[in-house]
Every structure is written in C-alpha cells, then in structure tokens.
Amino acid sequence: MTTAFVLSGGGNLGAVQVGMLRALTEAGVTPDLLVGTSVGAINAGFVAAHGTGSAALQTLQRQWIGTRRHDIFPIDPARHLRAVTGSTASLFSNAGLRRIVQTHLAGVRLERTAIAVRVIATDLLSGLEAVLEHGDATTAILASTAIPGIYPPVVVGDGPPLVDGGLADNTAVSVAVQAGADRVIVLPTGFPCALSGAPRSAIAISLQALGIMIQQRLIQDMERMAARTKIATMPPLCPVKVSPLDFGQTGALIERAYRESVRWIDAGGLERARPEQYLAPHRHERDGSRVPGVPGRGERPAAP
C-alpha cells in the first residue's frame, strides 16, 4: 500500500503539522509520498529531504519555534509604499523565508529527495494548478508560499509566474491519488476560529480569509476524492485563538497538536468514515463554546 501525507496550507498554524508528524511516526505510520501546499510545502519539503525520524522532526520543531514574525514578514516602509503605488509586486520580500528554507534544503532537488514529494503552486496567468516535482526545492516552495500581493510571484524555469498553491488546490488530495496513493492522510492546519475580534491589519485579514478558504476547499476536495481512495484526516486544533501573525506560540501549538493527534490515532480516528466532517467551518461564542450546528454545516462531531 502506498501512503501519502497531504499537508495543507495555513500560515503560522503550519506548526501543528510537526506535532501530527511526530504522532504518526510514533504510531508506525510513515509516508511513501508527500504533497505540500503553501506552508505545508515547507514542512513536506523538509520531511522529504530529511525523513520522519526523531532527530529530523526535532530539527523541524526547533526551526518553527525559532521563527519570528519579522523573519517572515519584514517591515519595510519604502517597499510597502512602492507596492501601493504599483512599482513593486508585493508588500514583503521573500528573502527571509528563502533563508529559512535554504537552511535545511540548500541544493536539494525535488526529484532526488529520500521520500517522493510534490509541491503545489498556482499559475498566476491561467489560475491552473501547477504540480512541481522536479527542480530546486527552495524555488518550488517559495512559489507555493507566494501569497498574492504579500510575496512576489516566482518563476520556475521558463514557466509562468507562480503564486500560492492554496488558490488552485490547497490540499491536493487528487495529486496524491493520481501519483498512485492507495491511502491518503491529510494533515490540516485549521484556522483561527476563536479570535476575540476580527483581525485589523490588511495582512492579518488576508491570512485569516485565506485560512477560511483553505478549510472549505479542503472539505470539498476530500468529499470529491473519497470514492477513489481511502482518505483519513488528522484533527485540526479547535478552538484556536492564535492570530495569523503570531509566531510566538508555535511551541505550544506543536505540543497541543501532538497530544490531540496521539489521542485521535489511539481512538481509531484514522479509520473514521467521512473524515471531512471533522473539518467543518464554525464559530465560537465569547465564552469559547461552539455555536450549535449540523455536522458538516458548522459543527464538527465529537472525536471517536
């Protein structure tokens, strides 16, 4: 059986995938194929190159814990002004993100990784999904994470400009199936669902909106592909009160995701039917309680 791990996007909540990977590895579940989109491409690329061993995942965890907002979104008033006036393509440079990725993937090519990997981006001109499986891993990941207007588009080879893969196919279950996976395990990030108020800055609003779109696209993708392969999901954290720009809580997110993933696996969560039900969009009251709803239409059913 060919097992694929499909890692979705979700900004700073990509940290939770480290905890999920730890729990899956301890349970003896390892991937033959990795498919990553946006921040999921960063984690997928690392694991593809370095494996799921304890030392590798500890390194990935340290990288997440050591990353700060200014590393990812460096404040540059002059650049912001140029972006507003149309003289540059993005509010932020991707140089900091490039440095982080190259720390662990410098010289790595997608077709030569220890575990097979596919990186998902979006063709900015056609809107079509771009599946990257050859070439420089860092360039592919920067393309997959290029949130339009936030980071500049990335050109791979002589191809079209590419942007964040979440726009075309955030979770790309279909890519894993087409690559021959008999079993697909989705590692979702979820989204900040219990904030005390709406984000205020333009970038935070963009990231929150993208996270919600990602979650809804993920549900649709899983429903659509359920008849073609065995699909399971890891449990996204809920409630989540971490701002899309808050990189100071990654350690806590990783540990919480690890604990919940262990419980999920032990309770048979990987064998549950209709796994997309556990990802349903929802909101919380001010006291943190969920708004009542129908599973799949605003309320996630209880864990097994």
Side-chain angles (χ1 to χ4, degrees):
M1 175 178 287
T2 299
T3 298
F5 286 3
V6 179
L7 288 75
S8 74
N12 58 345
L13 294 184
V16 306
Q17 292 172 342
V18 182
M20 294 173 180
L21 288 164
R22 282 172 50 195
L24 286 164
T25 300
E26 290 179 7
V29 183
T30 55
D32 303 295
L33 169 68
L34 293 148
V35 180
T37 303
S38 198
V39 72
I42 298 175
N43 291 330
F46 179 94
V47 172
H50 301 287
T52 59
S54 176
L57 293 182
Q58 286 177 10
T59 298
L60 182 58
Q61 178 167 325
R62 285 194 297 271
Q63 179 63 74
W64 267 104
I65 292 174
T67 298
R68 291 293 178 264
R69 173 179 171 176
H70 60 79
D71 297 322
I72 305 298
F73 302 115
I75 301 300
D76 183 345
R79 184 186 183 95
H80 299 342
L81 179 60
R82 292 196 302 273
V84 170
T85 58
S87 59
T88 191
S90 64
L91 286 169
F92 297 96
S93 165
N94 63 8
L97 183 58
R98 177 184 291 275
R99 284 192 294 271
I100 290 172
V101 175
Q102 285 189 324
T103 298
H104 307 288
L105 294 177
V108 172
R109 295 185 61 82
L110 295 178
E111 69 271 21
R112 297 176 185 170
T113 52
I115 302 172
V117 63
R118 307 285 190 274
V119 172
I120 309 303
T122 300
D123 182 330
L124 182 59
L125 302 182
S126 69
L128 296 174
E129 172 187 80
V131 181
L132 306 175
E133 52 185 301
H134 298 91
D136 179 62
T138 297
T139 303
I141 290 169
L142 290 176
S144 184
T145 56
I147 305 169
I150 304 299
Y151 288 135
V154 175
V155 174
V156 177
D158 58 357
L162 301 177
V163 293
D164 195 296
L167 300 178
D169 195 351
N170 178 70
T171 310
V173 173
S174 59
V175 173
V177 174
Q178 291 165 6
D182 306 298
R183 182 190 192 192
V184 175
I185 300 176
V186 176
L187 281 65
T189 58
F191 65 97
C193 58
L195 298 175
S196 58
R200 295 185 177 183
S201 70
I203 181 174
I205 291 171
S206 296
L207 293 173
Q208 177 75 358
L210 183 61
I212 293 170
M213 182 194 76
I214 282 170
Q215 193 79 345
Q216 300 211 22
R217 288 287 303 275
L218 168 54
I219 293 170
Q220 295 170 6
D221 200 21
M222 292 175 68
E223 289 177 334
R224 181 169 55 89
M225 299 304 300
R228 296 185 56 183
T229 193
K230 182 178 181 181
I231 299 177
T233 186
M234 297 300 288
L237 298 185
C238 181
V240 175
K241 300 181 180 180
V242 179
S243 161
L245 293 176
D246 184 357
F247 285 82
Q249 301 187 50
T250 52
L253 288 171
I254 291 169
E255 291 307 315
R256 183 179 164 197
Y258 169 73
R259 293 191 302 270
E260 293 196 14
S261 295
V262 168
R263 286 196 293 267
W264 179 261
I265 294 169
D266 290 346
L270 294 179
E271 307 302 322
R272 296 285 287 184
R274 297 194 61 202
E276 72 278 357
Q277 294 181 86
Y278 297 89
L279 307 177
H282 58 275
R283 61 185 177 86
H284 293 264
E285 298 289 5
R286 291 188 178 276
D287 63 1
S289 61
R290 276 178 175 265
V291 174
V294 178
R297 294 184 181 179
E299 180 70 3
R300 189 172 73 186

